[in-house]
Amino acid sequence: MLRMTDDAVTLGGIRRLLLAILLIGMIGTGVELLLLDHDEDVTQLIPLMLLAAGIAVVLWNAAGRARVSIVAVQFIMVLFVASGLFGMYFHYAANVEFQHEMDPALSGSALWWKVLRAKAPPALAPGTMIQLGLIGLAYAYRQPPVSLRNSLEENRYES
């Protein structure tokens, strides 16, 4: 009787868990951004478009795990991380502008803390995109395509 080794079973379970966390996170973040009307200009549409693309490529990968789908997941997840970094910059810059309008004399660490504590737009909220991107990269890390995975799993069976 053939059975998979404990390592192969564990890795498969972790990968499925990462997939579930990633999909739940992307769907939840997308819904939240839509509810917050995060679509006032082109830069605000970037995370929504990336979330839609992310859901599509992750589902495509989960359905077939072709080499091109693995690369697509990795590419989109790198874009998630980049968009999170740019989003934090845009949120921070908008908050600095608002705080200067409210109090032109505000500067230095007082300004920095005031900006980070602002509720609209929350300066660190785009970090969610970074987190999702890193989860997606972990999901796709060393993920063999189906043809290669099948041959590798055959080697992981014990008698």
Coordinates of all heavy atoms in Angstrom, one line a residue, residues 30-107:
G30 N -11.1 43.6 -0.7 CA -11.8 44.2 -1.8 C -13.2 44.7 -1.4 O -13.6 45.8 -1.8
V31 N -13.9 43.9 -0.7 CA -15.2 44.4 -0.2 C -15.1 45.6 0.7 O -15.9 46.6 0.5 CB -16.0 43.3 0.6 CG1 -17.2 43.8 1.3 CG2 -16.3 42.1 -0.3
E32 N -14.1 45.7 1.6 CA -13.9 46.8 2.4 C -13.6 48.1 1.6 O -14.2 49.2 1.8 CB -12.8 46.6 3.4 CG -12.6 47.8 4.3 CD -11.5 47.5 5.4 OE1 -10.6 46.6 5.1 OE2 -11.5 48.2 6.4
L33 N -12.7 47.9 0.6 CA -12.4 49.1 -0.2 C -13.6 49.6 -1.0 O -13.8 50.8 -1.2 CB -11.2 48.8 -1.2 CG -9.9 48.6 -0.5 CD1 -8.8 48.1 -1.5 CD2 -9.4 49.9 0.2
L34 N -14.4 48.7 -1.5 CA -15.6 49.1 -2.2 C -16.6 49.8 -1.3 O -17.2 50.8 -1.7 CB -16.3 47.9 -2.9 CG -15.5 47.3 -4.1 CD1 -16.2 46.0 -4.5 CD2 -15.5 48.3 -5.2
L35 N -16.8 49.3 -0.1 CA -17.7 49.9 0.9 C -17.2 51.3 1.3 O -18.0 52.2 1.6 CB -17.8 49.0 2.1 CG -18.6 47.7 1.9 CD1 -18.6 46.9 3.2 CD2 -20.1 48.0 1.5
L36 N -15.9 51.5 1.3 CA -15.3 52.8 1.6 C -15.2 53.7 0.4 O -14.6 54.8 0.6 CB -13.9 52.6 2.2 CG -13.8 51.9 3.6 CD1 -12.3 51.6 3.9 CD2 -14.5 52.8 4.7
D37 N -15.8 53.3 -0.7 CA -15.7 54.1 -1.9 C -14.3 54.5 -2.3 O -14.0 55.6 -2.6 CB -16.6 55.4 -1.8 CG -18.0 55.1 -1.7 OD1 -18.5 54.1 -2.3 OD2 -18.7 55.8 -1.0
H38 N -13.4 53.5 -2.3 CA -12.0 53.7 -2.6 C -11.8 53.7 -4.1 O -11.1 52.8 -4.6 CB -11.2 52.6 -1.9 CG -9.7 52.9 -1.8 ND1 -8.8 52.6 -2.7 CD2 -9.0 53.4 -0.7 CE1 -7.6 53.0 -2.3 NE2 -7.7 53.5 -1.1
D39 N -12.5 54.6 -4.8 CA -12.5 54.6 -6.2 C -12.6 56.0 -6.8 O -13.1 56.2 -7.9 CB -13.5 53.7 -6.8 CG -14.9 54.1 -6.3 OD1 -15.1 55.1 -5.6 OD2 -15.9 53.3 -6.7
E40 N -12.1 57.0 -6.0 CA -12.2 58.4 -6.4 C -11.3 58.8 -7.5 O -11.6 59.7 -8.3 CB -12.0 59.3 -5.2 CG -13.1 59.1 -4.2 CD -12.9 60.0 -2.9 OE1 -11.9 60.8 -2.9 OE2 -13.7 59.8 -2.0
D41 N -10.1 58.2 -7.6 CA -9.2 58.5 -8.7 C -8.5 57.2 -9.1 O -8.6 56.1 -8.5 CB -8.2 59.6 -8.4 CG -7.3 59.3 -7.2 OD1 -6.9 58.2 -7.1 OD2 -7.0 60.2 -6.5
V42 N -7.6 57.3 -10.1 CA -6.9 56.2 -10.7 C -6.1 55.5 -9.7 O -6.1 54.2 -9.6 CB -6.1 56.6 -11.9 CG1 -5.3 55.4 -12.5 CG2 -7.0 57.1 -13.0
T43 N -5.4 56.2 -8.8 CA -4.5 55.6 -7.8 C -5.3 54.8 -6.8 O -4.8 53.8 -6.3 CB -3.6 56.6 -7.1 OG1 -4.5 57.6 -6.5 CG2 -2.7 57.3 -8.0
Q44 N -6.5 55.2 -6.6 CA -7.4 54.4 -5.6 C -7.9 53.1 -6.3 O -8.3 52.2 -5.6 CB -8.5 55.2 -5.1 CG -8.0 56.3 -4.1 CD -9.2 57.0 -3.5 OE1 -10.3 57.0 -3.9 NE2 -8.9 57.6 -2.3
L45 N -7.9 53.1 -7.6 CA -8.4 51.9 -8.3 C -7.3 50.8 -8.4 O -7.7 49.6 -8.5 CB -8.9 52.2 -9.7 CG -10.1 53.0 -9.8 CD1 -10.4 53.4 -11.3 CD2 -11.3 52.3 -9.2
I46 N -6.1 51.1 -8.2 CA -5.0 50.2 -8.3 C -5.2 49.0 -7.4 O -5.1 47.8 -7.8 CB -3.6 50.8 -8.1 CG1 -3.3 51.8 -9.3 CG2 -2.5 49.8 -8.0 CD1 -2.1 52.7 -9.1
P47 N -5.4 49.2 -6.1 CA -5.6 48.0 -5.2 C -6.8 47.1 -5.6 O -6.8 45.9 -5.5 CB -5.7 48.5 -3.8 CG -5.9 50.0 -3.9 CD -5.4 50.4 -5.3
L48 N -7.9 47.8 -6.0 CA -9.1 47.1 -6.4 C -8.8 46.2 -7.7 O -9.2 45.0 -7.7 CB -10.2 48.0 -6.7 CG -10.8 48.7 -5.5 CD1 -11.7 49.8 -5.9 CD2 -11.6 47.7 -4.6
M49 N -8.1 46.8 -8.7 CA -7.7 46.0 -9.9 C -6.8 44.8 -9.5 O -6.9 43.7 -10.0 CB -7.1 46.9 -10.9 CG -8.1 47.9 -11.5 SD -7.5 48.9 -12.8 CE -6.2 49.8 -12.0
L50 N -5.8 45.1 -8.6 CA -4.9 44.1 -8.2 C -5.6 43.0 -7.4 O -5.2 41.8 -7.6 CB -3.7 44.7 -7.4 CG -2.6 45.3 -8.2 CD1 -1.6 46.0 -7.2 CD2 -1.9 44.4 -9.1
L51 N -6.5 43.3 -6.6 CA -7.2 42.3 -5.8 C -8.0 41.4 -6.8 O -8.1 40.2 -6.6 CB -8.2 43.0 -4.8 CG -7.4 43.5 -3.6 CD1 -8.3 44.5 -2.8 CD2 -6.9 42.4 -2.7
A52 N -8.7 42.0 -7.8 CA -9.4 41.2 -8.8 C -8.5 40.3 -9.5 O -8.8 39.1 -9.7 CB -10.2 42.1 -9.7
A53 N -7.4 40.8 -10.0 CA -6.4 40.0 -10.7 C -5.8 38.9 -9.8 O -5.6 37.8 -10.2 CB -5.2 40.9 -11.2
G54 N -5.6 39.3 -8.5 CA -5.0 38.3 -7.6 C -6.0 37.1 -7.4 O -5.6 36.0 -7.4
I55 N -7.2 37.4 -7.2 CA -8.2 36.4 -7.0 C -8.3 35.5 -8.2 O -8.3 34.3 -8.1 CB -9.6 37.0 -6.7 CG1 -9.6 37.6 -5.3 CG2 -10.7 35.9 -6.8 CD1 -10.8 38.5 -5.0
A56 N -8.2 36.1 -9.4 CA -8.3 35.3 -10.7 C -7.1 34.4 -10.8 O -7.2 33.2 -11.1 CB -8.4 36.3 -11.9
V57 N -5.9 35.0 -10.6 CA -4.7 34.1 -10.8 C -4.5 33.0 -9.8 O -4.1 31.9 -10.1 CB -3.4 34.9 -11.0 CG1 -3.4 35.8 -12.2 CG2 -3.0 35.7 -9.8
V58 N -4.9 33.3 -8.5 CA -4.8 32.3 -7.5 C -5.8 31.2 -7.8 O -5.5 30.0 -7.6 CB -5.0 33.0 -6.1 CG1 -5.3 31.9 -5.0 CG2 -3.8 33.8 -5.7
L59 N -7.0 31.5 -8.2 CA -8.0 30.5 -8.5 C -7.5 29.7 -9.7 O -7.7 28.4 -9.8 CB -9.4 31.1 -8.8 CG -10.1 31.6 -7.5 CD1 -11.4 32.3 -7.9 CD2 -10.3 30.5 -6.5
W60 N -7.0 30.4 -10.7 CA -6.4 29.7 -11.9 C -5.3 28.7 -11.4 O -5.3 27.5 -11.9 CB -5.9 30.7 -12.9 CG -5.1 30.2 -14.0 CD1 -5.3 29.1 -14.7 CD2 -4.0 30.8 -14.7 NE1 -4.4 29.0 -15.8 CE2 -3.6 30.0 -15.7 CE3 -3.3 32.0 -14.4 CZ2 -2.5 30.3 -16.5 CZ3 -2.2 32.3 -15.2 CH2 -1.8 31.5 -16.3
N61 N -4.4 29.2 -10.6 CA -3.3 28.3 -10.1 C -3.9 27.1 -9.3 O -3.4 26.0 -9.4 CB -2.4 29.1 -9.3 CG -1.3 28.3 -8.6 OD1 -1.4 27.9 -7.5 ND2 -0.3 27.9 -9.4
A62 N -4.8 27.4 -8.4 CA -5.4 26.3 -7.6 C -6.1 25.3 -8.5 O -6.1 24.1 -8.1 CB -6.4 26.9 -6.6
A63 N -6.6 25.7 -9.6 CA -7.3 24.7 -10.5 C -6.4 23.9 -11.3 O -6.7 22.7 -11.5 CB -8.3 25.5 -11.4
G64 N -5.2 24.4 -11.6 CA -4.4 23.6 -12.5 C -2.9 23.6 -12.2 O -2.2 22.7 -12.6
R65 N -2.4 24.6 -11.5 CA -1.0 24.7 -11.2 C 0.0 24.5 -12.4 O 1.0 23.8 -12.3 CB -0.6 23.7 -10.1 CG -1.1 24.2 -8.7 CD -0.4 23.5 -7.6 NE -1.0 24.0 -6.3 CZ -1.9 23.3 -5.7 NH1 -2.4 22.2 -6.2 NH2 -2.4 23.8 -4.6
A66 N -0.3 25.1 -13.5 CA 0.6 25.1 -14.6 C 1.8 26.1 -14.2 O 1.6 27.0 -13.4 CB -0.1 25.6 -15.8
R67 N 2.9 25.9 -14.8 CA 4.1 26.7 -14.5 C 3.8 28.2 -14.7 O 4.1 29.0 -13.9 CB 5.3 26.3 -15.4 CG 6.5 27.1 -15.0 CD 7.7 26.6 -15.8 NE 8.0 25.1 -15.6 CZ 8.7 24.6 -14.6 NH1 9.1 25.4 -13.6 NH2 8.9 23.3 -14.5
V68 N 3.0 28.5 -15.8 CA 2.7 29.9 -16.1 C 1.8 30.5 -15.0 O 1.9 31.7 -14.7 CB 2.2 30.1 -17.5 CG1 0.8 29.4 -17.6 CG2 2.2 31.5 -17.9
S69 N 0.9 29.7 -14.4 CA 0.1 30.2 -13.4 C 0.8 30.5 -12.1 O 0.5 31.4 -11.4 CB -1.1 29.3 -13.1 OG -0.7 28.1 -12.4
I70 N 1.9 29.7 -11.8 CA 2.7 29.9 -10.7 C 3.4 31.2 -10.8 O 3.5 32.1 -9.9 CB 3.7 28.8 -10.4 CG1 2.9 27.5 -10.1 CG2 4.7 29.1 -9.3 CD1 3.7 26.2 -10.2
V71 N 4.0 31.5 -12.0 CA 4.7 32.7 -12.3 C 3.7 33.9 -12.2 O 4.1 35.0 -11.7 CB 5.4 32.6 -13.6 CG1 6.0 34.0 -14.0 CG2 6.5 31.6 -13.6
A72 N 2.5 33.7 -12.7 CA 1.5 34.8 -12.6 C 1.2 35.1 -11.2 O 1.1 36.3 -10.8 CB 0.3 34.4 -13.4
V73 N 1.0 34.1 -10.3 CA 0.8 34.4 -8.9 C 1.9 35.2 -8.3 O 1.7 36.2 -7.6 CB 0.5 33.1 -8.1 CG1 0.5 33.3 -6.6 CG2 -0.8 32.4 -8.6
Q74 N 3.1 34.7 -8.6 CA 4.3 35.4 -8.0 C 4.4 36.9 -8.5 O 4.7 37.8 -7.7 CB 5.6 34.6 -8.4 CG 5.7 33.3 -7.7 CD 6.8 32.4 -8.2 OE1 7.2 32.6 -9.4 NE2 7.2 31.5 -7.4
F75 N 4.1 37.1 -9.8 CA 4.2 38.4 -10.4 C 3.2 39.3 -9.7 O 3.5 40.5 -9.3 CB 4.0 38.4 -11.9 CG 4.0 39.7 -12.5 CD1 5.2 40.4 -12.7 CD2 2.8 40.2 -13.0 CE1 5.2 41.7 -13.3 CE2 2.8 41.5 -13.6 CZ 4.0 42.2 -13.8
I76 N 1.9 38.9 -9.6 CA 0.8 39.7 -9.0 C 1.1 40.0 -7.6 O 0.9 41.1 -7.1 CB -0.5 39.0 -9.2 CG1 -0.9 38.9 -10.7 CG2 -1.6 39.7 -8.4 CD1 -1.2 40.3 -11.3
M77 N 1.7 39.0 -6.9 CA 2.0 39.2 -5.4 C 3.1 40.2 -5.2 O 3.1 41.0 -4.3 CB 2.3 37.9 -4.7 CG 1.1 36.9 -4.7 SD -0.3 37.7 -3.9 CE -1.6 37.3 -5.0
V78 N 4.1 40.2 -6.1 CA 5.1 41.3 -6.0 C 4.4 42.7 -6.3 O 4.8 43.6 -5.6 CB 6.2 41.0 -7.1 CG1 7.1 42.2 -7.2 CG2 7.0 39.8 -6.6
L79 N 3.5 42.7 -7.2 CA 2.7 44.0 -7.4 C 1.9 44.4 -6.2 O 1.8 45.5 -5.9 CB 1.8 43.9 -8.7 CG 2.6 43.7 -10.0 CD1 1.5 43.6 -11.2 CD2 3.5 44.9 -10.3
F80 N 1.4 43.4 -5.5 CA 0.7 43.7 -4.2 C 1.6 44.4 -3.3 O 1.2 45.4 -2.7 CB 0.2 42.4 -3.6 CG -1.2 41.9 -3.9 CD1 -1.6 41.8 -5.3 CD2 -2.1 41.5 -3.0 CE1 -2.8 41.4 -5.6 CE2 -3.3 41.1 -3.3 CZ -3.7 41.0 -4.6
V81 N 2.8 43.8 -3.1 CA 3.8 44.4 -2.1 C 4.1 45.9 -2.6 O 4.1 46.8 -1.8 CB 5.0 43.5 -2.0 CG1 6.1 44.2 -1.2 CG2 4.7 42.2 -1.4
A82 N 4.4 46.0 -3.9 CA 4.7 47.4 -4.4 C 3.6 48.3 -4.2 O 3.8 49.5 -3.8 CB 5.1 47.3 -5.9
S83 N 2.4 47.9 -4.5 CA 1.2 48.8 -4.3 C 1.0 49.1 -2.9 O 0.6 50.3 -2.6 CB -0.1 48.1 -4.9 OG -0.6 47.2 -4.1
G84 N 1.3 48.2 -2.0 CA 1.2 48.5 -0.5 C 2.1 49.6 -0.1 O 1.8 50.5 0.6
L85 N 3.4 49.5 -0.6 CA 4.4 50.5 -0.3 C 4.0 51.9 -0.9 O 4.1 52.9 -0.2 CB 5.7 50.1 -0.8 CG 6.4 48.9 -0.1 CD1 7.6 48.4 -0.9 CD2 6.7 49.2 1.3
F86 N 3.6 51.9 -2.2 CA 3.1 53.2 -2.8 C 1.9 53.7 -2.1 O 1.8 54.9 -1.8 CB 2.8 53.0 -4.3 CG 4.1 53.0 -5.1 CD1 4.4 51.8 -5.8 CD2 4.9 54.1 -5.2 CE1 5.6 51.8 -6.6 CE2 6.0 54.1 -6.0 CZ 6.4 52.9 -6.7
G87 N 1.0 52.8 -1.7 CA -0.3 53.2 -1.0 C 0.1 53.9 0.3 O -0.6 54.9 0.7
M88 N 1.0 53.3 1.1 CA 1.4 54.0 2.3 C 2.0 55.3 2.1 O 1.7 56.3 2.8 CB 2.4 53.1 3.1 CG 1.7 51.8 3.6 SD 2.5 50.7 4.8 CE 4.2 51.0 4.7
Y89 N 2.8 55.5 1.0 CA 3.3 56.8 0.7 C 2.1 57.8 0.4 O 2.1 58.9 0.9 CB 4.3 56.7 -0.5 CG 4.6 58.1 -1.0 CD1 5.5 58.9 -0.4 CD2 4.0 58.6 -2.2 CE1 5.7 60.2 -0.9 CE2 4.2 59.8 -2.7 CZ 5.1 60.6 -2.0 OH 5.3 61.9 -2.5
F90 N 1.2 57.4 -0.5 CA 0.1 58.2 -0.9 C -0.8 58.6 0.3 O -1.2 59.8 0.5 CB -0.8 57.6 -1.9 CG -0.1 57.5 -3.3 CD1 -0.2 56.3 -4.0 CD2 0.6 58.6 -3.8 CE1 0.4 56.2 -5.3 CE2 1.2 58.5 -5.1 CZ 1.1 57.3 -5.8
H91 N -1.1 57.7 1.2 CA -1.9 57.9 2.4 C -1.1 58.9 3.3 O -1.7 59.9 3.8 CB -2.2 56.7 3.2 CG -3.3 55.9 2.6 ND1 -4.2 55.2 3.4 CD2 -3.7 55.7 1.3 CE1 -5.1 54.6 2.6 NE2 -4.8 54.9 1.3
Y92 N 0.2 58.7 3.5 CA 1.0 59.5 4.3 C 1.0 61.0 3.8 O 0.8 61.9 4.5 CB 2.4 59.0 4.5 CG 3.3 59.8 5.4 CD1 3.3 59.6 6.8 CD2 4.2 60.7 4.9 CE1 4.1 60.3 7.6 CE2 4.9 61.5 5.7 CZ 4.9 61.3 7.1 OH 5.7 62.0 7.9
A93 N 1.3 61.1 2.5 CA 1.3 62.4 1.8 C 0.0 63.1 2.0 O 0.0 64.4 2.2 CB 1.8 62.3 0.4
A94 N -1.1 62.5 1.8 CA -2.4 63.1 1.9 C -2.6 63.6 3.3 O -3.2 64.7 3.6 CB -3.5 62.1 1.5
N95 N -2.2 62.8 4.3 CA -2.3 63.2 5.7 C -1.5 64.4 6.1 O -1.9 65.2 6.8 CB -2.0 62.0 6.6 CG -3.2 61.0 6.7 OD1 -4.3 61.4 6.4 ND2 -2.9 59.8 7.0
V96 N -0.2 64.4 5.5 CA 0.7 65.5 5.8 C 0.0 66.8 5.2 O 0.0 67.8 5.9 CB 2.0 65.3 5.1 CG1 2.9 66.6 5.1 CG2 2.8 64.2 5.9
E97 N -0.5 66.7 4.0 CA -1.2 67.9 3.4 C -2.3 68.4 4.2 O -2.5 69.6 4.5 CB -1.6 67.5 2.0 CG -2.3 68.7 1.2 CD -2.7 68.3 -0.2 OE1 -2.2 67.3 -0.7 OE2 -3.6 69.0 -0.7
F98 N -3.2 67.4 4.7 CA -4.3 67.8 5.5 C -3.9 68.4 6.8 O -4.4 69.4 7.3 CB -5.2 66.6 5.8 CG -6.4 66.9 6.6 CD1 -7.5 67.5 6.2 CD2 -6.4 66.5 8.0 CE1 -8.6 67.8 7.0 CE2 -7.5 66.7 8.8 CZ -8.5 67.4 8.3
Q99 N -2.9 67.8 7.5 CA -2.4 68.3 8.8 C -1.8 69.7 8.6 O -2.0 70.6 9.5 CB -1.4 67.4 9.4 CG -2.0 66.1 9.8 CD -3.2 66.2 10.8 OE1 -3.2 67.1 11.6 NE2 -4.2 65.3 10.7
H100 N -1.1 70.0 7.5 CA -0.5 71.3 7.2 C -1.7 72.3 7.0 O -1.5 73.5 7.4 CB 0.4 71.3 6.1 CG 1.8 70.9 6.5 ND1 2.6 70.2 5.6 CD2 2.5 71.1 7.6 CE1 3.8 70.0 6.3 NE2 3.7 70.5 7.4
E101 N -2.8 71.9 6.4 CA -3.9 72.8 6.2 C -4.5 73.2 7.6 O -4.9 74.3 7.8 CB -5.0 72.2 5.3 CG -4.6 72.2 3.9 CD -5.6 71.4 3.0 OE1 -6.7 71.2 3.5 OE2 -5.3 71.1 1.9
M102 N -4.6 72.2 8.5 CA -5.2 72.4 9.8 C -4.2 73.2 10.7 O -4.7 74.0 11.5 CB -5.5 71.0 10.5 CG -6.5 70.2 9.7 SD -8.1 71.0 9.6 CE -8.6 71.0 11.2
D103 N -2.9 72.9 10.6 CA -2.0 73.6 11.5 C -0.6 73.8 10.7 O 0.2 72.9 10.8 CB -1.7 72.8 12.8 CG -0.8 73.5 13.8 OD1 -0.3 74.6 13.5 OD2 -0.6 72.9 14.8
P104 N -0.5 74.9 10.0 CA 0.7 75.1 9.2 C 2.0 75.1 10.0 O 3.1 74.8 9.4 CB 0.5 76.5 8.6 CG -0.9 76.7 8.7 CD -1.4 76.0 9.9
A105 N 2.0 75.3 11.3 CA 3.2 75.3 12.1 C 3.7 73.9 12.5 O 4.8 73.7 13.0 CB 3.0 76.2 13.3
L106 N 2.8 72.9 12.3 CA 3.1 71.5 12.7 C 4.2 71.0 11.9 O 4.2 71.1 10.7 CB 1.8 70.7 12.6 CG 1.8 69.3 13.3 CD1 1.9 69.5 14.8 CD2 0.5 68.7 13.0
S107 N 5.2 70.4 12.5 CA 6.4 69.8 11.8 C 7.1 68.8 12.7 O 6.7 68.6 13.9 CB 7.4 70.9 11.4 OG 8.0 71.5 12.5

